[in-house]
């Protein structure tokens, strides 16, 4: 059944009951007073009957738009999960609102453990200045690419290349979108020799 059909049928059933009531009032009330009693409800019913299909079209349009949005969102998530490199989305406060499974695998955790946290929590403190500069560039509306090192819970490091772009909504920046590509694994946090496994 199409969206809004149930509401339309219920509305017409109520209109039918109200019209029946109006006719019963007109039949039982003496003639001169009947018109005074029945005309306002009939006028209201006429306006409601005229308005009902328009409201149903509005409700139907809203539902179809909501369904289309959910479908597109599902499709976008499927695309983001299908790529092999990491994809992240952060909000205005720099907190992750989305990470794909590939990025979570790079960190050695589940995506749920990353959401709500910031990139600084997974990056070596020595690289925080690089992150700050890149975020400042994106806040100005430009895309930036840089290298940084991610720290996993087991202490191992992964060097990555990050390309981040501002996320726009209604003409203003509301966060960042980043692609994270793994470059090489490093032995430990204090290793300055860039030895790979």
């Amino acid at each position: 059944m199409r969206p809004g059909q149930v509401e339309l049928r219920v509305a017409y059933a109520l209109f039918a009951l109200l019209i029946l009531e109006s006719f019963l009032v007109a039949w039982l009330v003496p003639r001169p007073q009947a018109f005074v009693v029945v005309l306002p409800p009939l006028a209201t019913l006429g306006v409601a009957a005229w308005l009902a299909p328009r409201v149903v079209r509005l409700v139907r349009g809203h539902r179809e738009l909501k369904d289309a949005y959910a479908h597109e969102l599902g499709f976008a998530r499927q695309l983001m999960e299908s790529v092999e490199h990491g994809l992240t989305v952060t909000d205005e406060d720099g907190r992750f609102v989305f990470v794909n499974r590939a990025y979570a695998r790079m960190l050695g955790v589940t995506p749920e453990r990353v959401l709500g946290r910031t990139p600084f929590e997974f990056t070596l403190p020595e690289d925080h200045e690089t992150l700050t500069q890149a975020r400042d560039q994106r806040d100005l509306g430009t895309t930036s690419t840089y290298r940084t090192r991610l720290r996993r819970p087991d202490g191992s490091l992964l060097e990555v290349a990050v390309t981040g772009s501002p996320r726009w909504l209604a003409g203003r920046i509301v966060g960042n979108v980043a692609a994270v590509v793994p470059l090489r694994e490093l032995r430990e946090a204090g290793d300055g020799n860039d030895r790979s496994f």
Side-chain angles (χ1 to χ4, degrees):
M1 186 175 293
R2 292 174 59 189
Q5 286 293 80
V6 172
E7 291 89 343
L8 185 60
R9 288 179 181 174
V10 169
Y12 282 138
L14 290 174
F15 294 151
L17 288 173
L18 289 171
I19 289 170
L20 178 63
E21 179 192 23
S22 299
F23 283 123
L24 287 174
V25 168
W27 186 41
L28 296 174
V29 175
R31 291 292 172 250
Q33 291 109 352
F35 292 117
V36 174
V37 171
V38 172
L39 280 178
L42 284 178
T44 304
L45 284 172
V47 170
W50 175 81
L51 195 57
R54 288 156 180 79
V55 171
V56 168
R57 274 197 301 274
L58 183 66
V59 169
R60 182 179 298 142
H62 175 72
R63 282 189 183 170
E64 289 171 353
L65 183 62
K66 185 177 174 184
D67 290 345
Y69 174 75
H71 176 73
E72 290 300 318
L73 184 61
F75 178 68
R77 284 186 181 273
Q78 183 180 4
L79 281 178
M80 291 192 290
E81 290 294 352
S82 69
V83 296
E84 293 182 11
H85 60 272
L87 290 175
T88 68
V89 179
T90 57
D91 61 14
E92 288 178 285
D93 297 324
R95 297 192 176 280
F96 290 113
V97 293
F98 172 81
V99 298
N100 68 350
R101 285 189 294 270
Y103 182 74
R105 273 194 306 272
M106 286 181 207
L107 294 173
V109 296
T110 62
E112 294 76 26
R113 288 194 52 201
V114 181
L115 298 179
R117 299 172 75 181
T118 71
F120 291 92
E121 296 177 55
F122 301 100
T123 306
L124 282 182
E126 298 92 328
D127 294 348
H128 285 186
E129 182 60 31
T130 302
L131 262 65
T132 302
Q133 290 173 0
R135 185 172 175 190
D136 291 345
Q137 284 183 323
R138 290 194 293 267
D139 287 345
L140 295 173
T142 59
T143 297
S144 61
T145 300
Y146 58 94
R147 287 183 178 202
T148 189
R149 292 166 294 170
L150 303 176
R151 186 197 317 259
R152 296 176 177 136
D154 65 4
S156 64
L157 300 177
L158 177 66
E159 185 178 15
V160 295
V162 180
T163 300
S165 299
R167 184 165 64 111
W168 295 88
L169 179 65
R172 70 182 192 90
I173 297 172
V174 294
N176 298 296
V177 178
V180 184
V181 179
L183 298 175
R184 60 188 168 153
E185 297 206 23
L186 306 173
R187 284 202 183 273
E188 57 188 46
D191 189 355
N193 296 326
D194 291 336
R195 293 174 298 172
S196 56
F197 276 116

